[in-house]
Amino acid sequence: MANKVPITLKVNGAERSAEVQPRTLLVHFLREDLGLTGTHIGCDTTQCGACTILVDGKSAKSCTLFAVQADGADITTIEGVASDGDLHPVQEGFWEEHGLQCGYCTPGMIMSAIHLLNENKSPSEQEIREGISGNFCRCTGYQHIVNAIKYAANKG
Amino acid sequence: MAIITPKMIGERVKRREDPRLIQGRATYVDDIKIAGMLHLAFRRSDIAHGIIKSIDVSAAQAMPGVELVITGAELKEFLPPMPIGTPFPSPDHYSVAVDRVRYQGEPVAVVVAADRYLARDAADAIEIEYEPLPAVIDPERAMTGEPAIVHEAFANNLAVPYVPGGTGFDPVAGTVDNTAVDKAFAEADFVLSQRMLNQRLAPTAMEPRGVVAHYEPGKEHLTIWSSTQNPHILKTFVAALTGTPDNQVRAIAPEVGGGFGCKINIYGEDYVAAALSKKLGKPLKWIEDRSEAFQATIHGRDILAYVDIAGKNDGRVTGLKIKLIADIGAYNMILTAAIPTLTMLMLNGTYDIPAIRAELTEVFTNKMPTDAYRGAGRPEGAYFVERAMDMVARHLNMDPAEVKRKNFIKADQFPFATQMGAVYDSGDYEKTLDLALKNAKWEELKAERDRMRADGRIVGIGLSFYVEVCGLGPSASLPTGGWEYSSVTVERSGKITATTGASPHGQGNETTFSQMLSDQFGIPMGDITILHGDTGVVKQGIGTFGSRSQAVGGTALLKAGEKVKDKMARFAAALLNPNEETDTSNMVFAEGRISFKDAPGQSVGFSDVAAYAYVPVPLPAGMEPGLSDQAFFEPANNTYPYGAHIAMLEIDRETGEPRLLKMLAVDDAGTIINPLIVEGQLHGGLAQGIGQAMIEEVVYDEDGQLITGSFMDYAIPRATDFPWFELDKTVTPTPVNPLGAKGVGEAGTLGSTPCIVNAAVDALSPFGVKHIDMMLRPEKLWRIINEGATG
Amino acid sequence: MIPEEFEYKRAATLDEAISLMQSSGGEGKFLAGGHSLIPLMKLRLSEPGVLIDISRIPQINGITDQNGKVQVGAATTHAEVVSSDLIRRVCPVVAECAAEIGDPQVRNRGTMGGSLAHSDPSADYPAVMVALDAEIHLKGPGGWRAVKAGDFFQGMFTVDMAEDEIIAGIQLPPAQHAAYVKLHQRASHYAIVGIAAVLEMDGRTCTSARIGITGASTHAQRLTNVEAALAGKELTQANIDAAAAIADAGLEDVNSDIHASEAYRRAMVKVFTRRAIERAASR
Ligand SMILES: Cc1cc2nc3c(=O)[nH]c(=O)nc-3n(C[C@H](O)[C@H](O)[C@H](O)COP(=O)(O)OP(=O)(O)OC[C@H]3O[C@@H](n4cnc5c(N)ncnc54)[C@H](O)[C@@H]3O)c2cc1C
Ligand code: FES
Ligand code: FES
């Protein structure tokens, strides 16, 4: 068995250290080792975006990073988005505008939306659609998700 | 049932299930962890058809962390073939292949290991030798027994050789009288014929399948968590197959990440997890990879139709003949063989067609079995009928709206018994069509299309009108039982706990059911909890499919609520009027208080009555303490919601790429509990219907290799694939249930698919195209435009 | 979903990366953004024994101006390219191309060096690199080497680079009259055909042209016949059409799959060549 490697990273503001097998995918590390199961897995070819998190502020598919690559990184998952019990405006938007049904795509979708709004404060409908083009939702047809992100943009 | 004054019902209420989902706090099956839990991995066949010559598990068995490696032949000793839910004859289908594999991805061996990484390593280390057999891929060729036979007992690969239906078919005698149909065709002004394929699709719920099974040897009790649409059916089937008494099995559907029909089935992996957990006495988990899902989760559709439609030159359709050939893949799953019969059932569409002959054949091939996928047989029916009606309009050079209008079942004909044996409950089709035409500015839209065409653009508009069968029941039409179950308990505090057997996976039942109880009991939604998805908590149930959770499950809920409310009224009356016999039949529950209708000023608090009911001193004569009851509801009939869809589509002349410019729908789903949720359901249905028309298709090559084995090759719609959907509604309540709700979960998939193909045919009609099969592959369209191909 | 085991090493410098590779016994692979390599490893289509993470080597990160040319570190992400003012000013076609790659998350991780080293037949960057005549800077045990993009791509997943060589950077010459257009495969959104056109213009006359193509064949290459047909011509519609009409003539080993047959791809090569030239000429 390959040697385990020590890593230290910041997850949702808290510093975490662990020893991981190099092949451990970041999404498995978050879910299994840290118990942060809000980040989901929907494919094995890096398309669906269910696993999206922020790595140093940028959206990334955590199924396509090894945990060792995130050594030293600052990571935000869906669990770290609300602050002091207050929902993030994007979360609020998803609730207000019914931006979810089964909820499986939702954490990843919210992380992509946060990244989008960080880069572009008031995106057009087309920019929103492009901003979430790396996230699949099979339930909603995306229209309420677009509304949810518009809601957050108007609030932010 | 007493009338409820709607207050919350009909409101755009935010969903109660959302706070956990938007914060990553929900528990899906892969989020479950049990101490000592081991992991399963399946080694699957990489060929489509062949005989298993040998399996060598020694290397896998020797790997560190591996607890068990087991083959199909070994499992067969204690795990019988999987049961199905239809009455058709069926070959044995083992959870894990025993001596022969029949589709790529069929499980061949199973590994149990300490974690999923090790399980995967060990599965890879199993050595299997096959003797390959020719793969049966083309269903029409398969019907001649070529190039091979999938199951020896089924000659010519005929799973279901012949099912007739329609005019002159006597289901009791099994006889077919063709007089009326022959006459209609003989006297017709025209007959149009077309072969149409409703292609194979992959359901792709975003959460793949998964199961955790935990057998506790001390208790002899099995708990199984599975990403399922119907935990009660899962419990029944798993109990039977693993030889565990069903009162020792608890099935739990935790948060379920979408189903769309593909999580109705109980799959081999569920049975294997349960059986091996029992064998090992340890909790086991299996989570499907997406590439496994493409190979080994049921596919949908794949029905071929030979359509002949006959009519008069004034636009009246007088006869329809449809021969259906369903490519059901390698085995029967739970509802496989029944799905195409639903296609048959809906072949009347929304039209008063006087003579219909339908014939169905189902064929085994070396592909993943098909089963229910959103719409389950009805979208195929709607598609064939709507395409045929559009062909009539095109042939007669009439407006498709006029052809529909001419042939519609009229509002005063309901309830309407169709040639196919359905009884449509209610409808006013013209009203819905008119609203759709008005919203689309139909005449202007046609003019706009013509202007765009004059500019050299390839543009078409499409119209479709669908009817679907929802609220599936009664029991005569569903082998699992056609009812639904609910219980309602008013707690001591005055809060309500209700359970429902309609286990949701995105439909928002916790919200809509709370809305209903809130109105029924006159207390805030926040005081109501809806429990579901756990057979240990919800005593009975069928499940959520066939757009039945609102119409059937919702009614069961109200029935249970009604029983509790009656009893509560009597407790309230005893508090208000301790010394008198009183009529409690019309007490008012409102604003958290209960009063006599005639004396609204004199009321008791809801929670006071609840407290009293549990410490009833004195106990009113003839009453038991407590406020809890249950109900089963079995509808007398299905419901038949309907709607009109309009699309505008442009095709890039140079590349053949289609682009949807407009998508508009007017649906009639009867009474609506929560418009926000209904819109969401409609959007989702539209998205899947558009997906089928434009970008989705499962493709196997001639060796039975799945070409579309990942999202790299199987497209599902992204946000960038859609225009803004324009929705509207008409409301024609159904008389079938007291709510008047018909169901909406699948509507969008019925109308949008033919609508878009109609638009594509319209766009390509200048090139002589009369029909084009889905999906709208750019290359196919490009060949029509640039090489004179005809669809 | 689950890769084979491997050893992980992180290199702090180019030299360290190279020596780690040399000591890996032929088992090593460089890891940059991981967005080509990790998907392959997850499907066990690639099973390296050692991964050498080069993404944090300072020397190969960043975008700088070098006497009017742009030097892009190999580990620069697609997103950094899209939002680089320098690139948008000096050779905007590269940003235009980067914006067409994958989706936002992919662009946040994937790197230019990784894309070129991997040389997927349907990757976007390679078309632009050959059209720009970009220079790829490699470092190996024997020192530095510069390879013109046109010589770098040699075949299916095959480039002019030894196992222990590493792409350090890419030098992009300025180009204003340039464009990249792409026919998206509708599932993966990789290029069925991607065409980059880089034109030298004198008024309306094209003094010279470089056309790069991806997606159609085993590897990115130039369409020299189209280039010749454009050189010295006024870019009238007729001249553009005539040049585009021969775009597929020299192509061999044209790809064919369920998304696009060879015949369709060949036709699309012409369509997108014309579109790329038109767009480049309009800039
Ligand atoms: C969902 C998805 C969609 C995508 N869509 C597109 C698309 O539309 N168009 C497109 O062009 N690409 C697409 N890609 C690929 C993406 O652009 C990759 O990021 C890129 O091809 C590889 O870059 P990387 O940094 O991720 O390389 P890695 O995956 O880290 O490495 C790829 C290969 O290059 C080698 N390598 C990496 N860096 C160097 C270096 N500096 N020197 C020598 N060798 C090196 C590695 O050893 C490896 O063999 C997509 C990827 C995904 C996951
Ligand atoms: S799990 Fe699908 S992209 Fe990561
Ligand atoms: S809400 Fe179910 S996949 Fe998006």
Side-chain angles (χ1 to χ4, degrees):
Chain A
M1 217 177 277
N3 289 335
K4 288 199 169 186
V5 182
I7 58 171
T8 301
L9 62 172
K10 214 169 174 198
V11 181
N12 299 330
E15 196 167 282
R16 305 281 206 143
S17 293
E19 299 234 316
V20 295
Q21 263 193 52
R23 67 166 166 167
T24 306
L25 295 167
L26 180 57
V27 68
H28 285 144
F29 175 72
L30 294 170
R31 290 178 48 82
E32 311 279 329
D33 296 25
L34 302 188
L36 295 171
T37 56
T39 302
H40 296 151
I41 300 171
C43 73
D44 45 16
T45 51
T46 321
Q47 257 110 10
C48 77
C51 60
T52 303
I53 58 169
L54 301 183
V55 178
D56 296 327
K58 310 244 181 242
S59 62
K61 293 175 174 175
S62 62
C63 70
T64 309
L65 264 82
F66 295 114
V68 286
Q69 289 175 279
D71 185 21
D74 185 350
I75 287 188
T76 310
T77 69
I78 187 68
E79 289 91 344
V81 161
S83 56
D84 299 333
D86 286 339
L87 293 180
H88 188 282
V90 174
Q91 288 174 310
E92 225 181 282
F94 272 72
W95 194 9
E96 290 291 334
E97 299 292 338
H98 186 30
L100 61 149
Q101 290 177 27
C102 79
Y104 198 74
C105 70
T106 310
M109 200 64 90
I110 289 175
M111 300 316 285
S112 279
I114 291 174
H115 174 73
L116 169 69
L117 294 177
N118 284 344
E119 308 253 301
N120 181 351
K121 294 272 169 270
S122 53
S124 66
E125 181 194 332
Q126 190 54 33
E127 285 168 339
I128 291 173
R129 288 182 185 271
E130 277 162 18
I132 55 169
S133 65
N135 294 74
F136 295 175
C137 175
R138 193 58 155 165
C139 296
T140 64
Y142 302 102
Q143 191 145 312
H144 282 162
I145 295 179
V146 172
N147 285 342
I149 298 172
K150 279 188 194 157
Y151 175 101
N154 289 337
K155 253 206 118 172
Chain B
M1 205 176 275
I3 305 296
I4 298 171
T5 321
K7 216 172 124 209
M8 298 313 293
I9 292 177
E11 289 299 305
R12 295 175 76 87
V13 179
K14 283 198 299 186
R15 293 204 321 172
R16 311 185 61 190
E17 29 284 89
D18 290 1
R20 63 178 186 265
L21 297 167
I22 56 179
Q23 296 183 86
R25 291 184 178 152
T27 305
Y28 296 85
V29 71
D30 196 12
D31 305 340
I32 293 165
K33 243 184 179 175
I34 301 173
M37 187 167 74
L38 304 176
H39 293 259
L40 293 179
F42 287 80
R43 176 63 184 269
R44 297 173 186 278
S45 171
D46 41 28
I47 65 170
H49 196 192
I51 293 163
I52 302 171
K53 301 295 284 180
S54 67
I55 305 180
D56 180 356
V57 302
S58 52
Q61 191 82 70
M63 293 172 78
V66 172
E67 174 97 6
L68 175 74
V69 185
I70 189 165
T71 65
E74 290 162 339
L75 269 163
K76 180 176 181 240
E77 298 304 316
F78 56 100
L79 197 59
M82 294 188 271
I84 61 169
T86 64
F88 296 95
S90 181
D92 282 352
H93 181 195
Y94 287 94
S95 300
V96 177
V98 174
D99 46 16
R100 192 162 160 175
V101 292
R102 293 186 172 86
Y103 64 92
Q104 189 197 6
E106 185 168 5
V108 180
V110 190
V111 173
V112 182
D115 69 39
R116 67 180 87 194
Y117 282 59
L118 298 174
R120 172 63 216 257
D121 291 346
D124 258 23
I126 299 171
E127 305 270 353
I128 306 170
E129 228 187 296
Y130 300 99
E131 178 187 324
L133 297 169
V136 179
I137 296 305
D138 175 349
E140 291 184 280
R141 194 163 166 236
M143 289 165 70
T144 66
E146 291 297 327
I149 295 291
V150 180
H151 296 282
E152 261 141 45
F154 291 77
N156 289 333
N157 296 308
L158 298 180
V160 177
Y162 176 69
V163 181
T167 317
F169 169 60
D170 180 339
V172 180
T175 54
V176 177
D177 175 357
N178 276 324
T179 317
V181 177
D182 289 347
K183 184 159 176 280
F185 274 78
E187 292 174 357
D189 291 341
F190 64 86
V191 174
L192 307 176
S193 302
Q194 184 62 52
R195 177 188 195 268
M196 304 176 189
L197 175 65
N198 201 285
Q199 84 275 27
R200 183 173 276 256
L201 302 177
T204 56
M206 287 320 301
E207 181 204 26
R209 290 185 293 129
V211 57
V212 172
H214 187 196
Y215 186 80
E216 294 163 273
K219 293 206 264 178
E220 299 184 352
H221 185 95
L222 173 71
T223 307
I224 180 164
W225 293 259
S226 179
S227 185
T228 178
Q229 297 175 224
N230 27 245
H232 289 88
I233 298 176
L234 174 74
K235 164 183 149 167
T236 307
F237 278 50
V238 166
L241 215 69
T242 59
T244 317
D246 59 358
N247 60 356
Q248 289 288 1
V249 178
R250 176 178 176 191
I252 301 174
E255 209 75 61
V256 173
F260 316 115
C262 76
K263 293 176 181 170
I264 296 173
N265 260 286
I266 321 302
Y267 289 85
E269 293 89 348
D270 295 305
Y271 294 121
V272 169
L276 291 184
S277 176
K278 201 170 169 183
K279 184 182 164 75
L280 299 171
K282 291 188 177 162
L284 301 180
K285 181 190 268 190
W286 172 72
I287 300 297
E288 184 181 58
D289 279 351
R290 178 61 60 190
S291 38
E292 291 181 291
F294 276 111
Q295 293 183 347
T297 288
I298 61 104
H299 292 161
R301 318 270 192 262
D302 211 349
I303 301 183
L304 180 64
Y306 285 90
V307 181
D308 301 299
I309 189 164
K312 297 288 188 187
N313 284 337
D314 67 357
R316 264 181 313 131
V317 170
T318 51
L320 182 65
K321 285 197 254 186
I322 297 196
K323 205 171 103 185
L324 300 172
I325 299 169
D327 175 350
I328 64 168
Y331 296 98
N332 272 308
M333 301 286 286
I334 196 163
L335 296 173
T336 301
I339 303 302
T341 65
L342 287 173
T343 306
M344 282 181 92
L345 181 69
M346 300 314 291
L347 289 178
N348 241 104
T350 51
Y351 311 106
D352 186 1
I353 303 174
I356 303 181
R357 167 67 56 249
E359 293 172 347
L360 165 66
T361 303
E362 301 186 19
V363 186
F364 286 123
T365 57
N366 292 118
K367 302 178 191 168
M368 181 63 206
T370 56
D371 205 319
Y373 167 58
R374 201 169 194 165
R378 292 98 88 203
E380 296 90 315
Y383 177 77
F384 298 138
V385 173
E386 285 307 292
R387 280 297 304 127
M389 294 302 287
D390 201 66
M391 285 169 51
V392 170
R394 202 158 285 291
H395 171 75
L396 296 174
N397 208 8
M398 277 174 74
D399 187 320
E402 286 323 300
V403 174
K404 291 188 192 311
R405 213 184 284 283
K406 255 209 160 86
N407 292 285
F408 267 159
I409 299 161
K410 304 288 181 294
D412 60 10
Q413 288 177 278
F414 290 92
F416 181 85
T418 73
Q419 302 295 323
M420 304 310 302
V423 180
Y424 293 174
D425 52 346
S426 63
D428 185 347
Y429 297 155
E430 281 209 70
K431 190 168 130 196
T432 305
L433 177 67
D434 286 338
L435 184 59
L437 296 175
K438 177 173 155 257
N439 289 355
K441 304 198 180 73
W442 183 243
E443 293 304 322
E444 282 175 44
L445 195 65
K446 288 197 276 186
E448 189 186 337
R449 169 200 60 192
D450 295 342
R451 271 196 307 278
M452 291 165 90
R453 277 187 186 166
D455 288 344
R457 295 166 71 175
I458 301 177
V459 183
I461 55 179
L463 167 69
S464 70
F465 204 97
Y466 72 89
V467 58
E468 87 155 318
V469 46
C470 274
L472 283 190
S475 290
S477 68
L478 258 191
T480 52
W483 42 267
E484 196 45 89
Y485 168 87
S486 200
S487 75
V488 172
T489 301
V490 176
E491 307 280 3
R492 285 165 181 250
S493 63
K495 298 197 189 302
I496 289 181
T497 306
T499 73
T500 173
S503 180
H505 42 282
Q507 291 83 358
N509 293 7
E510 290 171 35
T511 305
T512 50
F513 283 19
S514 301
Q515 287 177 265
M516 286 157 51
L517 288 178
S518 168
D519 282 356
Q520 190 175 31
F521 285 91
I523 63 168
M525 276 179 69
D527 284 356
I528 298 163
T529 295
I530 308 290
L531 300 175
H532 55 78
D534 180 348
T535 66
V537 173
V538 187
K539 290 181 201 144
Q540 284 299 339
I542 299 296
T544 293
F545 49 86
S547 304
R548 65 195 302 280
S549 69
Q550 196 62 62
V552 188
T555 306
L557 176 82
L558 287 185
K559 275 187 70 180
E562 197 61 27
K563 292 186 191 176
V564 175
K565 196 174 164 182
D566 283 348
K567 191 171 175 190
M568 197 167 181
R570 287 197 279 151
F571 277 115
L575 280 181
L576 283 166
N577 249 343
N579 302 318
E580 283 170 49
E581 278 282 307
T582 42
D583 175 13
T584 58
S585 62
N586 58 6
M587 292 190 83
V588 178
F589 287 58
E591 314 281 342
R593 302 194 71 79
I594 307 173
S595 61
F596 286 108
K597 196 176 174 209
D598 313 330
Q602 224 194 332
S603 65
V604 278
F606 190 86
S607 52
D608 296 334
V609 179
Y612 171 52
Y614 287 95
V615 189
V617 188
L619 181 67
M623 288 190 70
E624 287 174 7
L627 293 170
S628 184
D629 216 328
Q630 62 181 13
F632 290 79
F633 173 68
E634 165 140 329
N637 188 3
N638 302 311
T639 60
Y640 293 87
Y642 53 85
H645 288 194
I646 292 173
M648 186 180 222
L649 180 108
E650 174 161 17
I651 300 169
D652 185 311
R653 182 179 291 278
E654 294 184 326
T655 65
E657 289 173 292
R659 195 160 65 91
L660 195 52
L661 302 179
K662 187 179 188 68
M663 187 75 226
L664 175 151
V666 177
D667 297 282
D668 194 318
T671 307
I672 285 172
I673 312 294
N674 185 332
L676 198 60
I677 289 178
V678 165
E679 276 168 28
Q681 287 286 321
L682 289 169
H683 289 161
L686 285 174
Q688 285 179 355
I690 295 166
Q692 168 164 26
M694 298 189 55
I695 59 176
E696 297 187 37
E697 182 169 27
V698 170
V699 180
Y700 284 93
D701 74 8
E702 57 197 21
D703 298 322
Q705 292 291 314
L706 181 63
I707 304 289
T708 51
S710 79
F711 287 128
M712 293 292 281
D713 290 296
Y714 189 91
I716 66 168
R718 303 179 187 222
T720 40
D721 287 324
F722 298 128
W724 198 254
F725 301 145
E726 303 162 57
L727 299 190
D728 204 345
K729 62 172 181 288
T730 57
V731 177
T732 313
T734 176
V736 171
N737 61 61
L739 282 169
K742 293 178 175 177
V744 70
E746 294 158 300
T749 46
L750 274 89
S752 57
T753 313
C755 179
I756 286 170
V757 178
N758 289 348
V761 171
D762 184 47
L764 295 170
S765 57
F767 301 91
V769 169
K770 296 202 165 62
H771 174 74
I772 178 164
D773 273 335
M774 300 181 285
M775 44 105 126
L776 298 178
R777 215 177 262 290
E779 173 163 359
K780 190 157 61 183
L781 308 188
W782 173 82
R783 284 187 185 278
I784 291 169
I785 297 164
N786 292 282
E787 294 188 339
T790 50
Chain C
M1 182 75 192
I2 293 163
E4 286 261 25
E5 285 188 3
F6 57 84
E7 272 186 73
Y8 174 83
K9 313 258 158 136
R10 187 181 299 141
T13 64
L14 276 179
D15 290 335
E16 188 188 356
I18 292 160
S19 72
L20 283 170
M21 181 60 85
Q22 285 181 305
S23 57
S24 75
E27 286 279 299
K29 262 202 178 293
F30 294 124
L31 175 69
H35 271 48
S36 287
L37 187 53
I38 298 175
L40 289 175
M41 291 174 66
K42 282 165 66 180
L43 299 174
R44 302 199 169 191
L45 298 171
S46 172
E47 299 177 345
V50 185
L51 281 192
I52 301 155
D53 189 342
I54 57 172
S55 63
R56 300 190 195 186
I57 300 174
Q59 276 166 285
I60 65 169
N61 273 287
I63 304 168
T64 49
D65 184 340
Q66 279 196 345
N67 307 324
K69 295 188 173 182
V70 181
Q71 185 74 22
V72 182
T76 305
T77 64
H78 309 330
E80 287 163 344
V81 169
V82 173
S83 59
S84 158
D85 289 336
L86 183 60
I87 290 182
R88 288 181 170 275
R89 204 169 60 240
V90 178
C91 45
V93 64
V94 179
E96 178 181 36
C97 173
E100 290 277 325
I101 297 175
D103 56 49
Q105 295 97 309
V106 170
R107 294 194 288 273
N108 282 338
R109 300 293 311 175
T111 69
M112 186 179 282
S115 177
L116 302 187
H118 190 60
S119 181
D120 189 295
S122 32
D124 294 300
Y125 271 146
V128 173
M129 296 304 147
V130 298
L132 276 176
D133 207 16
E135 209 171 73
I136 296 165
H137 297 164
L138 302 165
K139 189 162 195 207
W144 288 94
R145 188 158 83 86
V147 185
K148 289 286 191 182
D151 303 323
F152 186 70
F153 303 103
Q154 298 184 324
M156 182 82 87
F157 297 105
T158 310
V159 292
D160 175 11
M161 184 171 72
E163 293 242 310
D164 50 8
E165 272 186 314
I166 189 166
I167 301 178
I170 300 94
Q171 196 179 62
L172 308 170
Q176 290 309 321
H177 307 292
Y180 178 71
V181 289
K182 162 183 186 182
L183 177 64
H184 289 248
Q185 197 258 61
R186 296 188 304 171
S188 71
H189 283 260
Y190 273 86
I192 287 178
V193 167
I195 305 280
V198 177
L199 310 176
E200 297 291 327
M201 303 277 286
D202 183 2
R204 286 300 300 160
T205 302
C206 171
T207 52
S208 80
R210 300 181 62 92
I211 312 290
I213 180 170
T214 187
S217 182
T218 51
H219 61 288
Q221 50 201 282
R222 282 169 55 189
L223 298 178
T224 46
N225 55 344
V226 178
E227 295 171 0
L230 290 173
K233 296 265 170 56
E234 192 185 340
L235 290 187
T236 60
Q237 193 63 49
N239 284 338
I240 294 174
D241 290 349
I246 56 167
D248 74 307
L251 281 181
E252 285 168 18
D253 298 324
V254 174
N255 300 329
S256 179
D257 55 35
I258 56 165
H259 306 286
S261 69
E262 173 171 352
Y264 178 63
R265 265 200 175 77
R266 283 186 178 277
M268 292 308 105
V269 169
K270 296 182 215 177
V271 169
F272 283 81
T273 299
R274 201 202 66 237
R275 289 182 181 181
I277 298 167
E278 284 170 357
R279 197 185 282 190
S282 74
R283 285 181 170 158

